Structure formats: C-alpha cells, structure tokens
C-alpha cells in the first residue's frame, strides 16, 4: 500500500505501485524516490507526522519521513535548522539524512505546503516506551546510558548546538548493539559565544526544562538540567513532575529510585542544580566524573567476583575433604 500524505485527502490509501493518488491527485512518489507506507506517529495538532517510507533507490535501508504541515515561519525555521544539522554535520548518535533528504512539496487544492525530512530509521524503542515495558533502570545501565548521551551532547555542543528538549521520548535505544540515539531535533538551536546576550523563544518540555530556559536564556548547561531530570525519570520510572520537592525546589528523587551509589547520586544532583553555574562546567567534566564512577563500580564488581570465587573454592575443597573422610572411614582406613 502507498499512502497519500495530503492532510485533506479523503482516501489516502492507494495501491503500492501507483504514482498519483486516486482521490486527490497528489504525488505518491515523493521527490521521485520515496513511497510512504505507514503512519508511525502524528501530533495531536497534526502539524508534524512521522511515516515509514521505502526509498526506491535504496530499498535495503529502512527510513522514516518527518513531515511538517504549516505556513508558520518560526516553525519552518526550526525545521530548517533540524534538517541543516542532520544533513550537514553528520554527528554520531543522531539520525543521518541524505543530501536530497530534505525537500518541500505542494498538494492540489491545498494551500498549505509540506516540508519533508527523510532520516534513517533507528529500530527499537524510545526510552519512554522502554520504561513501560521494563521498569526503572539500575545503576549499571544508567551509567552506560548517561555516558553515551553525554558523548552525543559533547559532539552537539562542540558544534555550538543545544538540543533544548532532552527527555525519555526523544531518546532511542537500539537493542541490537545497546546504542543510544538522541532524536527529535525540532528544538535545536545554534548559539554563539555571547550566550548571556541571547534571548530566544521559550521552547522545550515542562518537566525537564531548566529554569533559565523558561526565560528564553537556554545555553549548554540547560541541556545538563534536562539530562538530569531525564535520568531521574529513568531511575524512578516516575515523571519528574510527580516527585516531591523540598523547600528549595530540589527533587527528592533518591527515595523513589532504584539503588545507586552516593557518587552517582551526587552527579545527578549536580545536573539538577537550579543555578547554571552550579552544574558541571561542560560535557568533559561530566564524562570524567562518569569514568570515576564506572571504575569504582567495576572495581567493586571485580572484588565481589574474586570473593565469590574464593568462597566457592573453599566450599568445593570442603566437600572434597568430607568425601575423602567418608570414603576412608568406609574402608576402615
């Protein structure tokens, strides 16, 4: 089946080999190569929709199509930034987009055009879906995922981009190789070094947004705050808005969390600081602290493994000695 993506089409389902929609005459082979087969996700306001597509020139590579339906220039500008980042910067840990993967299309009898972005399809679950299936993560997985996400942020920030909308539903987990990907770059912004002078439109998701972001003053450290709140969600399986706060508006998340070390809890709390200057200085600082925690956990696990092996060895030796004693007594020796 081929789907027509004209939002006012009365019958979007078409035969898979058609080139023009039978109901509204819209093109079915977008940009002369992409055929839509399925709706993956649609926002309630229908401004953006995500589709499965088949690339007629590369049928072995699964791809998705993100379509923006609007005339709002601010929204189109954000979509342009997302496309520019994915097409031209090729940052590992973000979806890839081909050179001709971003294009506009127009529909018959519909004044609202569509802007299309074709990306690689990352198989797996986003972390909101993952939580629903598996529950809260443990410290070992949290360390691994935080390290991966911070590394992606390091690449993003080194190119002077901030994400501005980090949350579980914007992070994909690929089970085949345990890799993490940061998706939905619709809120991404390119910033210069005069961060303090910049005021931008407030954008993001309420339970994860840094206080300064509400004032249009998002910077690199705003992503750290969202990262901290994301991991509170992952460790507790509770939206941060559902967790109690003290009088200083500090999240009391540890009582809700799976067991974590004091050092890891301190790192998460540092990401959650309401004042940006109290958060880690940069991604390098976070990664160094993660490495210390990871080394400590590995050392403890190695010590535990050695202890268990020694105990097992003693038990086996004890059994052998007891067995020899029984056999010797049985022979009257």
């Amino acid at each position: 089946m081929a789907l027509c993506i004209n939002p006012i089409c009365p019958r979007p389902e078409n035969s898979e080999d058609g080139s023009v929609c039978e109901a509204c005459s819209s093109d079915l082979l977008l940009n002369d190569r992409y055929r839509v087969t399925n709706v993956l996700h649609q926002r309630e306001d229908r401004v953006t929709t995500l589709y499965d597509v088949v690339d007629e020139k590369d049928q072995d590579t699964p791809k998705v199509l993100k379509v923006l339906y609007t005339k709002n220039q601010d929204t189109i500008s954000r979509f342009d930034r997302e496309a520019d980042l994915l097409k031209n910067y090729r940052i590992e840990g973000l979806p890839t987009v081909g050179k001709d993967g971003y294009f506009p299309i127009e529909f018959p009898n519909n004044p609202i055009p569509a802007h299309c972005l074709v990306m690689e399809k990352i198989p797996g679950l986003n972390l909101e879906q993952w939580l629903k299936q598996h529950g809260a993560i443990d410290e070992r997985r949290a360390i691994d995922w935080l390290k991966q996400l911070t590394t992606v942020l390091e690449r993003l920030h080194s190119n002077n981009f901030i994400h501005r909308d980090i949350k579980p539903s914007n992070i994909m987990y690929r089970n085949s190789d345990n890799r993490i990907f940061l998706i939905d770059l619709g809120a991404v912004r390119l910033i210069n070094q005069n961060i303090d002078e910049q005021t931008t439109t407030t954008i993001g998701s309420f339970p994860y947004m840094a206080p300064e972001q509400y004032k249009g003053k998002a910077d690199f450290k705003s992503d750290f705050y969202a990262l901290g709140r994301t991991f509170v969600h992952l460790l507790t399986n509770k939206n941060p808005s559902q967790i109690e706060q003290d009088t200083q508006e500090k999240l009391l998340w540890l009582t809700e969390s799976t067991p974590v070390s004091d050092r890891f809890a301190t790192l998460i709390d540092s990401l959650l600081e309401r004042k940006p200057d109290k958060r880690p200085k940069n991604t390098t600082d976070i990664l160094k602290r993660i490495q210390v925690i990871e080394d400590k956990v590995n050392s403890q696990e190695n010590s535990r493994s050695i202890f268990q092996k020694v105990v097992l060895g003693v038990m086996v030796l004890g059994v052998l000695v007891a067995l020899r004693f029984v056999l010797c007594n049985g022979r009257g020796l």
Side-chain angles (χ1 to χ4, degrees):
M1 181 179 70
L3 283 181
C4 173
I5 65 169
N6 184 348
I8 65 171
C9 180
R11 294 186 306 277
E13 294 84 5
N14 289 263
S15 62
E16 61 179 284
D17 56 351
S19 59
V20 175
C21 177
E22 297 174 1
C24 73
S25 299
S26 297
D27 288 337
L28 295 178
L29 194 62
L30 308 178
N31 211 28
D32 295 323
R33 67 182 292 179
Y34 303 109
R35 192 176 297 278
V36 178
T37 60
N38 180 51
V39 178
L40 285 174
H41 178 73
Q42 187 175 62
R43 269 179 43 175
E44 291 183 7
D45 59 9
R46 297 175 68 93
V47 172
T48 57
T49 303
L50 201 65
Y51 300 94
D52 268 322
V53 293
V54 172
D55 183 350
E56 298 290 349
K57 297 181 181 179
D58 183 16
Q59 295 191 22
D60 294 331
T61 304
K63 294 179 180 176
V64 295
L65 170 68
K66 184 176 182 180
V67 182
L68 177 72
Y69 301 99
T70 187
K71 282 187 172 182
N72 184 286
Q73 288 305 309
D74 287 340
T75 306
I76 293 171
S77 293
R78 288 198 297 271
F79 204 58
D80 286 343
R81 282 200 298 269
E82 178 178 9
D84 175 64
L85 170 61
L86 296 178
K87 274 180 59 181
N88 299 317
Y89 287 82
R90 314 289 290 186
I91 294 174
E92 187 178 352
L94 303 182
T96 58
V97 171
K99 289 183 179 179
D100 62 347
Y102 185 50
F103 51 91
I105 59 173
E106 295 183 353
F107 305 109
N109 304 315
N110 185 352
I112 300 177
H115 299 263
C116 301
L117 181 62
V118 181
M119 303 171 280
E120 71 167 314
K121 183 175 183 177
I122 300 166
L125 301 172
N126 68 49
L127 296 192
E128 186 173 72
Q129 296 168 330
W130 197 97
L131 283 174
K132 289 178 181 177
Q133 289 193 16
H134 303 281
I137 64 176
D138 60 16
E139 182 175 14
R140 166 59 73 181
R141 190 179 292 273
I143 291 170
D144 177 37
W145 286 1
L146 181 59
K147 186 176 182 178
Q148 288 193 57
L149 281 168
T150 305
T151 301
V152 177
L153 275 183
E154 185 172 52
R155 298 173 187 136
L156 197 62
H157 289 180
S158 67
N159 285 287
N160 287 330
F161 285 100
I162 51 177
H163 189 279
R164 296 199 297 176
D165 198 18
I166 297 171
K167 57 184 178 181
S169 61
N170 283 345
I171 303 165
M172 289 293 297
Y173 173 68
R174 191 165 69 188
N175 188 60
S176 60
D177 56 4
N178 298 316
R179 283 192 62 192
I180 290 290
F181 292 81
L182 196 53
I183 62 170
D184 198 343
L185 285 297
V188 74
R189 181 169 178 80
L190 181 64
I191 60 177
N192 59 39
Q193 299 305 310
N194 299 317
I195 294 172
D196 290 339
E197 299 176 6
Q198 297 183 129
T199 301
T200 63
T201 303
T202 299
I203 190 170
S205 299
F206 160 68
Y208 309 92
M209 195 188 302
E212 68 276 7
Q213 197 165 331
Y214 283 106
K215 303 173 184 177
K217 291 284 188 178
D219 68 5
F220 300 118
K221 292 185 178 183
S222 304
D223 281 345
F224 298 164
Y225 185 89
L227 193 62
R229 288 221 157 196
T230 292
F231 274 84
V232 165
H233 193 161
L234 296 174
L235 288 162
T236 64
N237 200 13
K238 282 189 173 184
N239 188 296
S241 63
Q242 299 173 325
I243 297 176
E244 290 186 18
Q245 303 182 73
D246 65 13
T247 55
Q248 304 296 315
E249 297 187 42
K250 179 180 178 180
L251 282 182
L252 304 175
W253 63 275
L254 264 176
T255 57
E256 309 277 356
S257 171
T258 54
V260 296
S261 64
D262 290 343
R263 202 181 286 262
F264 190 74
T266 299
L267 173 56
I268 298 299
D269 279 337
S270 72
L271 298 172
L272 296 171
E273 289 286 354
R274 295 188 62 78
K275 294 184 178 179
D277 60 359
K278 290 189 175 182
R279 297 175 205 150
K281 292 183 295 184
N282 48 43
T283 51
T284 301
D285 183 20
I286 298 172
L287 288 170
K288 285 180 179 178
R289 294 172 67 176
I290 292 172
Q291 191 60 56
V292 171
I293 296 167
E294 193 172 34
D295 290 344
K296 183 73 172 176
V297 169
N298 288 336
S299 176
Q300 290 174 342
E301 289 184 353
N302 289 337
S303 297
R304 191 179 302 117
S305 177
I306 292 171
F307 176 75
Q308 289 171 343
K309 288 177 181 177
V310 169
V311 170
L312 181 61
V314 170
M315 291 173 64
V316 170
L317 182 61
V319 170
L320 291 175
V321 170
L323 183 59
R324 180 177 175 81
F325 178 78
V326 170
L327 290 174
C328 288
N329 283 344
R331 295 172 183 171
L333 298 179

